[in-house]
Amino acid sequence: METATHEILDIEAIRRDFPILDQVVNGRQLVYFDNAATTQKPLPVLNALTRYYEGYNANIHRGIHTLAEKATSAFEASRRAIQQFLNAAHVEEIIFTYGTTDGINLVAQTYGRRFLKEGDEIIISTMEHHSNIVPWQMLCEEKGCVLKVIPIDDEGDLILEEYEKLLSERTKFVSVVHVSNALGTINPVKILIEKAHAVGAKVLIDGAQASSHIDIDVQALDADFYVFSAHKLYGPTGMGVLYGKRNLLDAMPPWRGGGEMIKEVTFEKTTYNDLPYKFEAGTPNIADVIAVYAALDYIDTLGKKNVAAYEHSLLEYATEALGSIDGLRIIGQSAEKISVVSFVLDGIHHQDTGVILDQQGIAVRTGHHCTQPLMRRFNLTGTTRASFAVYNTKEEIDRLVQGLLRVKKMML
């Protein structure tokens, strides 16, 4: 598989598509291993942004002049591309947001406030990002709902038997991450959705980490809601997507009020726009929505399965190489993982590890990764996380190993 992947993907050519990688940091060639926080952007995405601002910068939907029509056409082309990316049944099920966090809050503050009541139960998991914890806590405080948490085992997998015990006729909503940003664990979301639906609950899947690594079919999953951010799949920052089943979106009230989300406004009454515009008040992030089309096209050109296979080879190589370092412990050893390795070094604070690696030109993420409850589950304050993308190489992983050996030499 690895040989075939190398034959299909020209990694050196791919690296040339990412200008930011060709730089020296602290006297060393940059090694960028912070892809779970945000991926770098290829030239087609950068060029799409430049073309928009240089060639047809205009507000959309409400203009009849040529630039406005061209911008509107490109904007809506991205919506159709995302529909295909997720295999959504209807293009109006694609709502543009400002990111995954924004999408989760939209659902909590519209569906949650409209349909959940005192005593209803919401289920999340131990491995959730804060953005999939805090909105539900806020809703519970307001509505008197009860928040339940699926535990995980020492390998970083959900304990499905415990999930089943949590489900009951009181369960009205389940919101779980598709892939853990801190552990890399791929959750069996189809099973989670099926079991939730069996008791009548609706389900939101946080796909922030899954979107660039896993084929997503919201119809096959039967997800009620699915959210992700463009910046984690080689697209721009500040742009995200909420998918929702059309009947649910129709039943939900608008969240933000203003232009675009209305049909008619009088001082006596406002009538709201149809989907998807009911949830897209004001001037949207036009340039970045347009540029996400180029990001999806870039992934499609490489082939998502090819990318996943190559990244898995990096994961296997890194797991073995890092595992050879005395005193290094990998946190999250699920059999089903994306290319994320979180670890701790005995006797060395993760922040010190990150600083010393940065001095050698190696960018990793340190801290709790916005998953403080998960860190507490493992009795940790944080970890060092290396996360890999299609432009990374085994040679860079070798540099990480050497860098960590230097950390140990300096700190112990």
Side-chain angles (χ1 to χ4, degrees):
M1 174 61 73
E2 183 180 337
T3 302
T5 301
H6 278 293
E7 290 174 355
I8 295 170
L9 296 179
D10 185 340
I11 303 304
E12 287 306 312
I14 290 171
R15 287 179 63 83
R16 289 193 292 272
D17 288 336
F18 294 83
I20 197 170
L21 300 178
D22 186 22
Q23 66 174 289
V24 172
V25 173
N26 294 323
R28 301 290 300 274
Q29 180 68 35
L30 170 66
V31 172
Y32 185 79
F33 282 161
D34 197 19
N35 296 287
T38 194
T39 54
Q40 299 301 340
K41 320 309 172 192
L43 285 170
V45 172
L46 303 178
N47 292 339
L49 290 168
T50 301
R51 283 196 302 270
Y52 167 74
Y53 282 120
E54 289 185 347
Y56 56 102
N57 175 40
N59 215 324
I60 58 169
H61 294 146
R62 299 181 294 277
I64 60 170
H65 59 82
T66 298
L67 295 186
E69 290 183 346
K70 186 173 181 179
T72 298
S73 177
F75 185 89
E76 293 301 333
S78 285
R79 197 188 305 274
R80 292 190 296 274
I82 292 165
Q83 177 196 3
Q84 295 175 4
F85 182 74
L86 296 177
N87 192 34
H90 309 283
V91 70
E92 60 267 27
E93 294 176 323
I94 305 302
I95 311 297
F96 290 132
T97 69
Y98 297 107
T100 301
T101 302
D102 191 48
I104 295 171
N105 276 275
L106 190 160
V107 175
Q109 292 299 310
T110 56
Y111 183 90
R113 295 178 78 180
R114 171 66 61 89
F115 295 107
L116 272 61
K117 63 185 185 303
E118 185 175 359
D120 287 345
E121 294 181 355
I122 301 167
I123 296 177
I124 60 174
S125 83
T126 301
M127 66 178 71
E128 299 308 318
H129 189 281
H130 294 164
S131 63
N132 203 26
I133 300 173
V134 179
W136 305 113
Q137 290 177 327
M138 295 168 68
L139 183 66
C140 288
E141 291 174 1
E142 177 183 340
K143 305 289 287 186
C145 300
V146 179
L147 193 66
K148 302 282 189 175
V149 182
I150 311 167
I152 64 172
D153 62 24
D154 292 339
E155 301 301 308
D157 288 312
L158 296 178
I159 304 175
L160 294 181
E161 297 83 359
E162 296 300 318
Y163 172 58
E164 292 175 356
K165 293 177 184 177
L166 294 175
L167 290 167
S168 73
E169 70 279 357
R170 296 184 300 276
T171 308
K172 301 303 178 184
F173 207 92
V174 176
S175 190
V176 291
V177 68
H178 198 160
V179 172
S180 167
N181 71 303
L183 305 178
T185 303
I186 302 172
N187 286 322
V189 291
K190 185 173 177 61
I191 294 172
L192 301 179
I193 292 168
E194 288 173 351
K195 292 184 181 299
H197 284 171
V199 299
K202 303 303 181 189
V203 184
L204 180 147
I205 301 298
D206 171 358
Q209 295 296 330
S211 57
S212 66
H213 302 281
I214 298 172
D215 281 329
I216 301 164
D217 185 333
V218 292
Q219 292 189 77
L221 291 175
D222 198 21
D224 298 300
F225 303 99
Y226 198 100
V227 293
F228 68 91
S229 301
H231 74 96
K232 295 182 189 293
L233 48 78
Y234 309 105
T237 57
M239 183 268 162
V241 171
L242 162 65
Y243 157 82
K245 289 180 178 177
R246 185 167 60 179
N247 65 312
L248 298 178
L249 295 173
D250 274 329
M252 290 156 51
W255 185 23
R256 297 186 178 99
E260 187 65 31
M261 53 76 67
I262 56 88
K263 282 186 176 179
E264 184 176 359
V265 177
T266 68
F267 286 118
E268 292 71 34
K269 182 177 176 57
T270 293
T271 55
Y272 303 127
N273 209 340
D274 298 326
L275 295 175
Y277 311 113
K278 180 174 76 170
F279 295 106
E280 296 179 358
T283 297
N285 191 351
I286 301 170
D288 292 335
V289 169
I290 289 172
V292 82
Y293 184 101
L296 296 179
D297 184 65
Y298 186 81
I299 293 171
D300 188 58
T301 299
L302 297 180
K304 207 170 187 182
K305 285 184 169 55
N306 299 330
V307 172
Y310 177 69
E311 290 175 344
H312 186 70
S313 73
L314 294 178
L315 173 65
E316 290 183 326
Y317 186 82
T319 301
E320 181 177 354
L322 295 176
S324 69
I325 299 175
D326 288 340
L328 185 146
R329 178 163 54 98
I330 294 175
I331 308 300
Q333 299 263 21
S334 173
E336 297 293 330
K337 284 184 63 172
I338 63 161
S339 49
V340 167
V341 182
S342 283
F343 57 89
V344 292
L345 279 169
D346 290 344
I348 303 173
H349 196 277
H350 48 81
Q351 186 171 346
D352 293 326
T353 300
V355 168
I356 298 171
L357 288 175
D358 181 63
Q359 292 170 354
Q360 301 172 72
I362 303 169
V364 295
R365 182 69 44 165
T366 63
H368 53 66
H369 315 300
C370 292
T371 59
Q372 286 179 309
L374 175 64
M375 293 296 114
R376 293 190 189 99
R377 162 62 179 79
F378 288 101
N379 297 312
L380 300 169
T381 59
T383 69
T384 302
R385 183 185 69 191
S387 49
F388 313 120
V390 69
Y391 41 67
N392 291 128
T393 67
K394 292 180 179 179
E395 289 74 20
E396 290 180 317
I397 294 170
D398 291 339
R399 275 191 56 192
L400 173 63
V401 171
Q402 292 304 311
L404 291 170
L405 293 176
R406 180 172 175 79
V407 171
K408 289 186 63 179
K409 183 176 181 180
M410 293 179 64
M411 298 300 297
L412 297 177

